[in-house]
């Protein structure tokens, strides 16, 4: 029997999910339970699950009891919506832009690779049986926080010089100035969801004194929810989404989930600090006097000059032209380019919103996947992108190896105790003189 993310290898052995046991010992039935009953229970009550004796059913722990005091903020503050969709929270269109589609597809394939990786899948299976967030192991917390924060970091991957900071366990992890993550459990339970929302609202109000919008993410790997807190000089209100499915089912025929799409779109929002974060990742440890600063210094170049040189009658070049130049630069060169002037920084920040793999900028998701990626199982953890590097078009295959050329592996920026790092294979296909070629520049 086959699933979308794996194969049940034999009716005489325990079901396995790409080589990793899908049933942990805490919920495995004894040998007298028939495989038909096991599979029925695995499929959420279909077929013969109702006939399975109680002692052989999988024992998923009940949600923790939530004291009313944990819901105080939720019940006392003004909630303007409890089942909002992200497009309403952000006041954007329901239709994904081309760049958002790229970010969503990249997150989908990364999640798919995690699900077929023994490094991740065993820990992910165990997350379902954690009673509450205080009982998460450090490895489980690291995996959850990594998956939740992936869409919010500067999307520069595959370069040896890029160094992502190690995640440090905290109750609340601020991944942006206005966005915080809280690792939770049982978000599909109404009171657990409300308690998580309440904790996020409290964390945001304690951290942020200035008026404005802030976002919180309650994340349990299996589900996620987004909270928006709006503060002005006199009032504060909040709204949130429902618990959205994040992790695809192992029996799905599509890598898409509402939670993946939601976090990818939320991560694509304009980040005023993107340039600073990219500088840190790329090792630009320059003195603060060398960086473009807010307020007055933002209007001046690094050499003390304005965007328009003195004693000139020429108007400054338009932003569109600077962006066109930036589109031909490697991410590391973009950082240096950003230090020239305010307009260059703005143009470079626009380009840095695209994901980059080894200097290849992912610009679009093809309407039709290549024939060799259309296999149903393969398509759940592989995809292709139209890309460019220094103006040269290319096709980037992510999640698979290209049989006619070289492939590289992208190590996820995550450390897990006593476990090997998980890698994401990808290839770059170049068309040179009309001929198919795979190479690295």
């Amino acid at each position: 029997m086959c699933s979308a993310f794996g194969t049940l290898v034999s009716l005489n052995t325990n079901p396995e999910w790409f080589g990793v046991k899908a049933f942990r010992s805490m919920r495995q039935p004894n040998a007298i339970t028939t495989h038909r009953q096991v599979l029925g229970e695995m499929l959420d009550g279909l077929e013969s699950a109702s006939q399975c004796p109680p002692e052989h059913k999988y024992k998923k722990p009940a949600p923790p009891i939530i004291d009313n005091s944990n819901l105080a903020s939720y019940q006392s503050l003004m909630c303007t919506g409890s089942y909002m969709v992200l497009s309403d929270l952000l006041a954007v269109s329901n239709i994904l832009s081309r760049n958002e589609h790229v970010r969503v597809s990249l997150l989908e394939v990364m999640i798919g690779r995690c699900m077929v990786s023994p490094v991740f899948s065993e820990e992910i299976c165990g997350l379902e049986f954690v009673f509450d967030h205080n009982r998460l192991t450090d490895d489980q917390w690291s995996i959850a926080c990594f998956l939740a924060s992936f869409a919010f970091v500067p999307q520069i991957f595959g370069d040896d010089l890029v160094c992502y900071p190690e995640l440090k366990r905290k109750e609340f992890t601020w991944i942006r100035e206005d966005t915080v993550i809280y690792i939770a459990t049982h978000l599909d339970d109404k009171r657990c969801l409300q308690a998580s929302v309440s904790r996020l609202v409290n964390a945001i109000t304690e951290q942020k004194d200035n008026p404005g919008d802030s976002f919180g993410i309650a994340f349990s790997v299996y589900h996620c929810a987004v909270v928006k807190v709006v503060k002005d000089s006199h009032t504060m209100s909040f709204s949130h989404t429902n618990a959205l499915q994040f992790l695809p089912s192992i029996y799905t025929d599509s890598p898409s989930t509402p939670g993946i799409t939601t976090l990818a779109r939320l991560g694509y929002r304009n980040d005023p600090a993107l340039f600073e974060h990219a500088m840190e990742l790329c090792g630009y440890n320059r003195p603060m006097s060398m960086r473009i600063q807010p307020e007055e210094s933002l209007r001046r170049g690094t050499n003390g000059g304005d965007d328009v040189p003195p004693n000139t009658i020429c108007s400054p070049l338009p932003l569109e032209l600077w962006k066109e130049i930036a589109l031909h630069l490697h991410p590391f060169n973009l950082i240096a380019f950003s230090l020239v002037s305010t307009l260059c920084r703005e143009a470079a920040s626009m380009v840095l919103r695209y994901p980059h793999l080894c200097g290849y900028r992912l610009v679009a998701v093809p309407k039709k996947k290549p024939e060799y990626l259309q296999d149903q199982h393969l398509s759940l953890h592989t995809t292709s992108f139209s890309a460019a590097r220094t103006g040269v078009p290319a096709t980037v295959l992510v999640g698979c190896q290209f049989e006619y050329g070289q492939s590289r592996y992208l190590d996820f920026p995550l450390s897990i105790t006593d476990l090997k790092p998980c890698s994401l294979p990808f290839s770059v296909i170049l068309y040179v003189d009309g001929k198919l070629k795979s190479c690295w520049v």
Side-chain angles (χ1 to χ4, degrees), residues 262-382:
T262 294
L263 291 196
R265 295 197 76 184
L266 189 64
Y268 183 70
R269 287 181 307 120
N270 184 45
D271 179 12
L274 175 60
F275 169 70
E276 290 290 330
H277 294 157
M279 282 186 66
E280 295 170 1
L281 293 184
C282 295
Y284 276 75
N285 298 319
R286 298 177 181 272
M288 292 304 294
S289 60
M290 292 288 291
R291 300 192 185 189
I292 299 178
Q293 300 297 312
E295 306 301 336
E296 177 64 25
S297 58
L298 257 180
R299 296 192 291 271
R300 307 183 65 82
T302 55
N303 61 354
D306 296 318
D307 284 308
V308 182
N311 302 320
T312 181
I313 60 174
C314 297
S315 60
L317 295 175
L319 176 62
E320 292 77 13
L321 182 56
W322 291 117
K323 181 182 177 182
E324 190 64 30
I325 296 172
L327 287 172
H328 287 72
L329 299 178
H330 187 281
F332 288 96
N333 295 330
L334 272 176
I335 304 301
F337 178 75
S338 302
L339 295 170
V340 173
S341 69
T342 304
L343 278 176
C344 291
R345 178 180 188 266
E346 186 176 352
S349 296
M350 295 168 66
V351 176
L352 285 172
R353 296 180 72 187
Y354 290 92
H356 289 77
L357 291 181
C358 279
Y360 288 89
R361 176 170 45 86
L362 309 184
V363 297
V365 178
K367 294 182 179 179
K368 185 178 181 180
K369 286 188 176 183
E371 185 175 348
Y372 44 83
L373 293 183
Q374 291 180 11
D375 176 84
Q376 182 184 31
H377 295 177
L378 189 63
S379 65
L380 295 173
H381 51 84
T382 63

Side-chain angles (χ1 to χ4, degrees), residues 223-258:
H223 297 87
C224 68
V226 176
V227 185
K228 179 180 181 180
V229 176
V230 180
K231 296 180 66 175
D232 59 31
S233 55
H234 303 290
T235 63
M236 184 185 75
S237 63
F238 72 94
S239 54
H240 64 88
T241 67
N242 196 8
L244 306 171
Q245 179 190 354
F246 181 83
L247 196 70
S249 165
I250 62 172
Y251 292 99
T252 188
D253 58 1
S254 169
S256 301
T257 65

